[in-house]
């Protein structure tokens, strides 16, 4: 099955996972790229997006698997046609055959930008860095059976904290994203819980890159 | 997008409906734009984006050079609250500019229960509610849609109404505004000129006078306004504007598919139906044009479903020709073709079998009344035999669920008619027992009754609405006669339909009730989770207005009606004739069988009525 890598940003960041599949199904159709349909009484075009993302998160590294009906086109041609038919904020970077199996995805680099309207407090960066340097850090997670406390430290492979201008702190982290997976929002939950005075006024999230279980770039 | 909006979006449900940026959205360079139109739909994005009329007018106004039309929808309650807390004014999706910055603010109004949304949208925009409080040419508020056929409850708030189909009139009023703005006219000057455009109704140019009993004594035209304003129609649908490049929402909407209107008007004369009379005369569209537009629309949207819509698609003469062409195209391209509201005739049955989209789950009928006598009164020409034969075919073909829609409170209705519903349902169950091929799956009969609302411009426009208590009594009576476990019976509380009846036939004195209820908190009334009758009850009390005046009282045939200055083409003499026939239980054959002389053909100059 061919795969494409795409960006989702700007206004399009607010499109939900399910809606984004609809957006692609229609874009394929407009691009004159007929998708194979699932068998069954109510056939659906087969597209699947690798790691579902929360609404509002932007990404530079989304993956979508698809299957075209009875035609073989050069990958560059597919990329070009799709980009002509897509919406602002969603852009295909490249299309390729023979991607790795999605189950081998292991890690994700993400950027968490925390905005402080009154300016970043003195020592804040250090405090947050210390927080994530702890041996263990338990954070509440909403699960299917109520909330559970989980230690998030084993799920963080790398982390760096830095100030970005007067009003913003950025966390760059490499985190587990599949079995187990850590939602980047949990990093902020940890800050809010442990360092109450460093609660940000707003936060934005971005996915930067994905890796396999050996931390090699995932294709 | 502003930083503020970015902060609010994560806190509300379905943020994608507030961002714009969909495929085929129209953006213009503001330095080249002379007239900005904020096209407001007084309900949510999901409802508004499903409206074909809005799609047509959006495309059409944006094709005008120097004009930029943008979309505005009613925010959901969580967003309304966040906007209020953060002093964020209502914005248009395309440019994200505040609505207050627009030259013209247009509303399309299809349902009485969105009136409070109109006022709250103006309020959220920071635009004064009353027409008299908006002094300049900026923020001219105008409206159209079926509710404009009795616009009186909104008379104080809307500067002018466009009656009928909008294709031509929208261009005319916007072009006139363009001229007015360039020449720096006053608002009064613009209203005076716009009132000369056929189909434009400027409510402030009509003085309403009342008798002591509260009924109207006169409607006096002022400033040379016409005594009666006649609605506009498009005569030739083949050459009418059709937007093939339609916006493709990035989030799921109610009618998530392409929608093609196959003809306008209706040959059936169901006496309760406002659309059936107010959308006359019948005008056809040719199958060739429809096929071309269907293909172009689908290719520009990428939709995987298309609906052929109209008031009664089985009555479209070109249906066979169109579907013969369209079905192969759709099959080849994995597109579902759906043809809703088909009648139970032979061709429709064949067609249904050919359509892939028909799943063997449901079958829907709207007999509206339980006995043949009452169906004759309302001129709903659907017989028990037709219903049972169709059910028989469907059950033997594997269907196992039927939906039946009725109204309670129809003119001349007795308990016998109410119980006739139970009898008909019983016969449907018997038919299933006799013909079902797969009885293990069981049968579901969904029965739903609604509370009859008399509407303007119908033969029932003078009728009383039964009281809410009486409506509930009839619901309970019916319920007590449903014995089978296969029946699922739904009925709504009477409050919403009672209000709908008040506003459907209301006059301008209701403006203050509307304002008061909105002030008290009425919003999103069409949504069960937000509709709260107590706001309306309190508003009626505070304003000293008795809702019964508009409902259980009934209107006299000699009485001046609030919508008498508005002509939809169908004559009052015809409506009265039909009312008489209703009381006599006399059926009026459909227009194709014989012209009943409704008068709507007088609206046509170039072509004749295609009934």
């Amino acid at each position: 099955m061919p795969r494409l890598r795409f960006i989702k940003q700007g206004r399009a960041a607010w499109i939900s996972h399910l809606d984004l599949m609809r957006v692609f199904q229609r874009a394929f159709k407009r691009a004159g790229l007929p998708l194979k349909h699932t068998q069954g009484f109510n056939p659906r075009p087969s597209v699947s997006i690798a790691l579902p993302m929360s609404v509002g998160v932007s990404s530079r590294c989304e993956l979508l698997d698809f299957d075209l009906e009875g035609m073989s086109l050069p990958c560059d041609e597919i990329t070009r046609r799709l980009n002509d038919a897509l919406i602002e904020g969603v852009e295909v970077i490249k299309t390729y055959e023979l991607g790795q199996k999605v189950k081998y995805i292991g890690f994700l680099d993400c950027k968490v930008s925390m905005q402080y309207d009154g300016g970043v407090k003195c020592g804040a960066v250090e405090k947050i860095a210390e927080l994530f340097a702890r041996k263990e850090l338990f954070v509440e997670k909403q699960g299917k059976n109520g909330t559970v406390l989980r230690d998030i430290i084993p799920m963080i492979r790398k982390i760096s904290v830095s100030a970005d201008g007067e009003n913003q702190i950025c966390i760059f982290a490499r985190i587990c994203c599949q079995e187990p997976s850590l939602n980047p929002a949990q990093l902020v939950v940890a800050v809010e819980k442990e360092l109450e005075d460093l609660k940000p006024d707003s936060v934005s999230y971005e996915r930067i890159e994905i890796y396999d279980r050996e931390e090699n770039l995932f294709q | 997008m502003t930083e503020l909006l970015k902060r609010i979006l994560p806190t509300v449900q379905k943020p994608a409906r507030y961002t714009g940026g969909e495929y085929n959205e129209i953006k213009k360079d503001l330095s080249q734009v002379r007239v900005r139109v904020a096209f407001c739909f007084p309900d949510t994005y999901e409802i508004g984006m499903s409206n074909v009329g809005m799609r047509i007018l959006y495309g059409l106004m944006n094709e005008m050079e120097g004009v930029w039309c943008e979309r505005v929808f009613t925010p959901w309650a969580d967003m309304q609250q966040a906007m209020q807390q953060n002093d964020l004014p209502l914005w248009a999706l395309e440019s994200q500019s505040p609505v207050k910055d627009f030259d013209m603010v247009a509303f399309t109004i299809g349902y009485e229960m969105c009136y409070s949304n109109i006022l709250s949208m103006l309020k959220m925009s920071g635009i004064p509610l009353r027409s008299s409080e908006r002094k300049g040419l900026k923020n001219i508020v105008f409206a159209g849609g079926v509710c404009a056929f009795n616009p009186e409850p909104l008379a104080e708030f809307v500067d002018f109404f466009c009656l009928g189909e909008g294709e031509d009139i929208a261009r005319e009023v916007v072009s006139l505004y363009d001229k007015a703005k360039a020449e720096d006219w006053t608002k009064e000057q613009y209203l005076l000129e716009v009132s000369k455009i056929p189909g434009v109704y400027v409510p402030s140019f009509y003085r309403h006078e009342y008798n002591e009993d509260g009924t109207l004594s006169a409607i006096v035209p002022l400033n040379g306004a016409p005594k009666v304003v006649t609605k506009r129609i498009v005569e030739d649908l083949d050459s009418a504007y059709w937007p093939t490049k339609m916006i493709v929402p990035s989030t799921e909407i109610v009618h998530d598919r392409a929608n093609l209107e196959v003809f306008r008007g209706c040959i059936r004369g169901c006496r309760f139906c406002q659309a059936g009379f107010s959308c006359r005369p019948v005008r056809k569209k040719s199958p060739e044009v429809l096929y071309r537009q269907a293909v172009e629309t689908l290719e520009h949207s990428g939709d995987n479903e298309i609906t052929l819509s109209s008031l009664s698609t089985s009555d479209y003469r070109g249906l066979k020709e169109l579907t013969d062409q369209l079905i192969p195209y759709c099959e080849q391209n994995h597109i579902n073709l759906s043809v809703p509201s088909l009648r139970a005739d032979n061709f429709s049955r064949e067609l249904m079998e050919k359509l892939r989209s028909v799943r063997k789950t449901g079958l829907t009928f709207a007999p509206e009344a339980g006995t043949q006598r009452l169906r004759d009164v309302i001129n709903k020409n659907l017989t028990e035999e037709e219903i049972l034969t169709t059910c028989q075919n469907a059950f033997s073909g594997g269907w196992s669920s039927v939906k039946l829609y009725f109204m309670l409170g129809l003119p001349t209705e007795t308990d016998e008619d109410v119980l006739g519903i139970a009898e008909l349902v019983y016969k449907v169950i018997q038919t299933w027992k006799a013909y079902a091929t797969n009885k293990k799956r069981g049968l579901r009969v969904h029965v739903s009754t609604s509370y009859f609302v008399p509407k303007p411009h119908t033969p029932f426009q003078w009728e009383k609405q039964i009281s809410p208590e009486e409506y509930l009594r009839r619901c309970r009576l019916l319920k007590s006669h449903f014995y089978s476990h296969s029946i699922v019976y739904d009925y709504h509380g009477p409050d919403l339909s009672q209000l709908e009846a008040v506003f459907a036939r209301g006059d301008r004195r209701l403006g203050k009730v509307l304002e008061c209820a909105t002030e008290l908190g009425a919003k999103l009334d069409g949504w069960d989770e937000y509709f709260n009758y107590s706001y309306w009850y309190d508003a009626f009390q505070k304003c000293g207005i008795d809702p019964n005046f508009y409902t259980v009282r009934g209107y006299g045939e000699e009485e001046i009606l609030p919508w008498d200055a508005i002509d939809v083409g169908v004559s009052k003499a015809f409506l009265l004739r039909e009312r008489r026939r209703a009381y006599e239980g006399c059926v009026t054959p459909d227009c194709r069988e014989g012209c009943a002389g409704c008068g709507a053909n007088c609206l046509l100059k170039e072509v004749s009525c295609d009934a």
Side-chain angles (χ1 to χ4, degrees):
Chain A
M1 228 192 226
R3 174 172 290 168
L4 55 86
R5 182 178 162 123
F6 67 97
I7 289 176
K8 182 192 181 205
Q9 62 185 10
R11 293 201 267 181
W14 302 99
I15 301 173
S16 72
H17 175 73
L18 284 177
D19 283 338
L20 191 62
M21 303 231 280
R22 289 174 62 265
V23 165
F24 268 103
Q25 285 163 2
R26 281 165 168 75
F28 271 99
K29 220 167 184 128
R30 292 193 291 263
L33 301 168
L35 287 165
K36 256 192 198 149
H37 280 62
T38 55
Q39 299 294 307
F41 193 72
N42 190 21
R44 298 190 167 278
S46 56
V47 291
S48 86
I49 296 175
L51 297 172
M53 203 164 42
S54 306
V55 172
V57 178
S58 17
S59 175
R60 301 185 206 170
C61 58
E62 291 305 286
L63 300 176
L64 176 136
D65 291 345
F66 63 97
D67 215 354
L68 292 187
E69 198 177 63
M71 65 194 296
S72 77
L73 278 173
C75 287
D76 290 350
E77 174 69 8
I78 294 174
T79 304
R80 191 190 60 77
R81 283 207 211 171
L82 269 178
N83 280 334
D84 284 345
L86 272 165
I87 54 170
E88 170 198 315
V90 180
E91 190 193 340
V92 178
I93 306 301
K94 63 173 178 180
T95 305
Y96 53 95
E97 302 280 349
L98 303 173
Q100 291 165 264
K101 283 194 173 150
V102 169
K103 66 176 180 188
Y104 298 129
I105 295 177
F107 299 94
L108 187 68
D109 277 354
C110 64
K111 178 185 176 188
V112 179
S113 309
M114 301 190 290
Q115 192 80 25
Y116 295 90
D117 294 345
V120 173
K121 282 187 186 153
C122 195
V125 170
E126 292 73 17
K127 277 189 191 163
I128 294 172
E130 280 163 25
L131 175 70
F132 291 111
R134 289 189 193 169
K135 285 232 160 44
E136 52 179 33
L137 180 55
F138 282 88
V139 177
E140 275 187 2
K141 181 185 181 251
Q142 297 279 349
K144 279 177 194 137
N145 311 314
T147 53
V148 283
L149 270 181
R150 278 199 316 174
D151 182 9
I152 65 168
I153 295 296
M155 288 181 279
I156 303 173
R157 197 45 65 102
K158 271 194 208 171
I159 193 159
S160 72
V161 184
S162 57
D164 181 8
E166 306 259 298
N167 296 310
Q168 191 162 282
I169 291 177
C170 290
I171 302 175
F172 287 92
R174 180 167 302 172
I175 54 179
C176 290
C177 63
Q178 195 160 242
E179 290 168 21
S181 74
L182 176 64
N183 186 332
Q186 296 249 288
L187 300 174
V188 181
V189 174
V191 171
E192 288 174 352
K193 184 183 151 214
E194 302 288 328
L195 309 166
E196 271 172 45
D197 58 327
L198 295 180
K199 185 178 174 357
D201 294 297
S202 76
V203 190
S204 61
Y205 302 91
E206 187 179 23
R207 284 181 176 178
I208 311 277
E209 190 55 84
I210 49 175
Y211 302 91
D212 63 17
R213 298 199 176 263
E214 278 71 52
E215 290 186 64
N216 298 311
L217 282 181
F218 183 84
Q219 285 290 315
Chain B
M1 197 183 295
T2 61
E3 183 58 33
L4 179 58
L5 184 55
K6 271 189 206 165
R7 284 187 187 189
I8 291 174
L9 286 177
T11 67
V12 298
Q13 290 174 42
K14 302 186 190 168
R17 56 186 163 183
Y18 303 115
T19 60
E22 309 95 320
Y23 189 76
N24 281 338
E25 172 191 81
I26 294 170
K27 292 243 195 182
K28 293 196 178 183
D29 174 3
L30 267 183
S31 68
Q32 306 295 312
V33 172
R34 297 185 307 275
V35 181
R36 297 185 74 183
V37 182
F39 196 161
C40 303
F41 191 94
D43 210 318
T44 61
Y45 178 90
E46 290 83 347
I47 305 279
M49 286 304 292
S50 303
N51 183 284
V52 185
M54 186 175 196
R55 302 290 191 113
I56 295 174
L57 296 173
Y58 176 81
L60 181 141
M61 285 192 260
N62 278 316
E63 286 212 343
M64 295 174 71
E65 185 270 328
V67 175
W68 188 10
C69 171
E70 304 183 38
R71 297 161 299 149
V72 186
F73 300 95
T74 312
W76 193 241
D78 57 355
M79 179 55 106
Q80 290 191 22
Q81 198 187 351
M83 288 164 65
Q84 204 175 8
Q85 282 165 356
N86 293 283
D87 289 322
L88 177 67
L90 190 62
W91 67 95
L93 294 184
E94 280 75 3
S95 65
Q96 314 264 328
S97 308
V99 175
K100 206 177 176 19
D101 292 355
F102 284 71
D103 298 300
M104 306 186 84
V105 180
F107 283 93
T108 174
I109 319 171
Y111 178 42
E112 290 82 4
M113 295 325 295
C114 66
Y115 288 176
S116 64
N117 290 339
I118 298 174
L119 298 205
S120 59
M121 284 171 84
L122 288 173
K123 226 180 243 186
M124 284 184 261
S125 306
I127 295 174
L129 292 186
R130 290 181 173 263
S131 177
S132 57
E133 293 163 353
R134 298 186 298 265
K135 301 292 182 195
L137 201 55
K138 190 110 185 160
N139 298 152
I140 289 277
V141 176
F142 70 109
V146 278
C147 287
F149 292 144
N150 177 27
E152 292 309 317
L154 295 167
E156 309 275 349
F157 312 108
V158 175
D159 295 317
F160 69 91
F161 292 90
C162 295
L163 308 183
E165 293 162 12
E167 279 93 342
D168 299 317
I169 198 170
R171 283 194 198 105
E172 292 161 23
V173 302
V174 174
S175 297
L176 185 70
Y177 188 94
D178 194 5
K179 182 173 185 246
K181 194 178 172 189
E183 294 175 4
D184 205 17
W185 293 4
T186 60
K187 176 176 173 179
E188 290 67 32
Q189 228 175 329
Y190 176 73
L191 288 181
L192 195 63
E193 290 307 311
V194 87
S195 75
K196 294 175 188 165
I197 293 177
V200 171
Y201 174 75
V202 181
S204 58
F205 288 4
Y206 296 81
R207 195 176 62 236
H208 283 207
E209 295 170 359
Y210 300 94
N211 295 311
E212 264 175 39
D213 64 2
T215 56
L216 277 165
S217 62
I219 298 176
V220 185
L222 310 168
N223 303 328
K227 194 163 178 289
V228 171
V229 181
T230 304
K231 76 162 188 205
R232 295 285 291 275
I233 54 163
V234 174
E235 292 205 26
D236 177 16
L237 295 181
D238 280 348
S239 61
Y241 174 79
W242 177 256
T244 45
K245 286 190 181 175
M246 284 200 244
I247 294 179
V248 186
S250 300
T251 180
E252 197 172 352
I253 59 171
V254 179
H255 295 297
D256 199 13
R257 56 187 88 100
N259 191 327
L260 194 63
E261 191 187 22
V262 294
F263 76 110
R264 289 186 187 169
C266 186
I267 65 167
R268 312 275 155 185
C270 305
R271 293 180 178 127
F272 54 85
C273 177
Q274 190 180 34
F277 293 99
S278 67
C279 298
R280 293 180 177 202
V282 177
R283 285 140 299 145
K284 64 166 182 232
K285 213 165 162 178
S286 66
E288 305 81 62
V289 172
L290 286 169
Y291 176 75
R292 198 184 67 229
Q293 289 177 345
V295 172
E296 278 177 38
T297 305
L298 287 165
E299 281 173 3
H300 283 120
S301 72
D303 281 317
N304 54 17
E305 185 171 351
I306 184 166
T307 289
L308 301 181
S309 66
S310 72
L311 292 171
S312 171
T313 303
S314 296
D315 293 328
Y316 173 53
R317 283 208 179 95
L319 190 59
K320 180 172 187 323
E321 203 181 329
L322 176 61
T323 49
D324 280 350
Q325 270 188 293
L326 211 47
I327 288 172
Y329 173 84
C330 289
E331 279 176 357
Q332 203 182 342
N333 292 285
H334 293 296
I335 288 161
N336 282 325
L337 176 63
S338 71
V339 188
S341 59
L342 285 178
R343 300 182 66 81
D345 58 30
N346 283 329
F347 171 69
S348 304
R349 266 199 291 277
E350 278 168 41
L351 181 61
M352 274 164 70
E353 274 157 32
K354 276 196 259 176
L355 297 175
R356 297 192 322 135
S357 66
V358 177
R359 290 175 217 165
K360 288 196 174 175
T361 48
L363 195 64
T364 305
F365 291 101
E368 311 292 2
T371 57
Q372 196 56 46
R373 184 200 72 80
L374 192 53
R375 283 195 293 274
D376 289 347
V377 168
I378 62 176
N379 208 38
K380 178 87 194 185
N381 52 358
L382 180 64
T383 62
E384 186 175 290
E385 196 194 335
E386 279 176 279
I387 296 168
L388 296 179
T389 315
T390 311
C391 283
Q392 181 186 323
N393 287 334
F395 294 147
S396 50
W399 268 267
S400 58
S401 155
V402 184
K403 282 185 188 150
L404 296 165
Y405 293 113
F406 299 93
M407 281 190 265
L408 290 179
L410 288 163
T412 78
E413 185 177 82
T414 61
D415 284 357
E416 198 182 317
D417 298 304
V418 176
L419 296 180
I421 297 175
E423 236 164 275
L424 180 61
V425 172
Y426 176 72
K427 285 178 189 162
V428 169
I429 295 172
Q430 291 303 110
T431 308
W432 179 81
K433 282 186 181 154
Y435 296 96
T437 44
N438 187 0
K439 290 211 182 88
K440 272 186 212 142
R441 285 172 70 185
L443 170 72
R444 279 263 159 266
V445 186
H446 290 262
V447 179
S448 164
T449 57
S450 62
Y451 182 5
F452 171 62
V453 176
K455 296 266 174 160
H457 307 290
T458 67
F460 291 160
Q461 65 176 354
W462 296 275
E463 296 301 327
K464 293 180 168 101
Q465 187 184 41
I466 59 170
S467 70
E469 298 75 28
E470 175 59 17
Y471 163 74
L472 286 175
R473 187 192 68 82
R474 293 185 196 182
C475 291
R476 284 190 288 260
L477 174 70
L478 180 57
K479 195 171 182 189
S480 69
H481 283 75
F482 284 145
Y483 304 112
S484 165
H485 289 298
S486 305
I487 304 169
V488 182
Y489 177 40
D490 286 326
Y491 62 91
H492 263 74
D495 296 339
L496 193 71
S497 304
Q498 189 201 9
L499 266 186
E500 190 185 328
V502 169
F503 286 99
R505 294 190 296 176
D507 54 38
R508 357 191 117 167
R509 291 171 296 190
L510 290 171
K512 57 183 176 184
V513 176
L514 213 51
E515 196 173 350
C516 183
T518 313
E519 192 62 48
L520 291 171
K523 60 169 177 284
L524 299 165
D525 292 305
W527 298 84
D528 285 346
E529 50 271 65
Y530 290 103
F531 176 66
N532 185 340
Y533 186 68
S534 68
Y535 297 137
W536 293 95
Y537 181 83
D538 292 348
F540 282 118
Q541 296 276 313
K542 272 194 180 172
C543 300
I545 284 183
D546 178 11
N548 292 335
F549 179 79
Y550 304 95
T551 57
V552 295
R553 179 181 71 95
Y555 290 55
E557 287 181 0
E558 304 304 318
E559 205 176 312
I560 295 175
L561 302 171
W563 54 95
D564 271 351
I566 284 164
D567 173 19
V568 299
V570 174
S571 72
K572 206 172 188 174
F574 168 76
L575 295 179
L576 270 172
R577 212 155 65 223
E578 279 294 298
R579 188 186 196 207
R580 300 266 183 284
R581 291 176 71 90
Y583 283 129
E584 289 159 15
C586 249
V587 167
T588 300
D590 71 61
C591 305
R592 214 157 266 174
E593 237 173 86
C595 176
C598 72
N601 56 333
C602 296
L603 299 173
L604 297 166
K605 288 178 189 69
E606 293 149 26
V607 296
S608 53
C609 178
D610 188 52

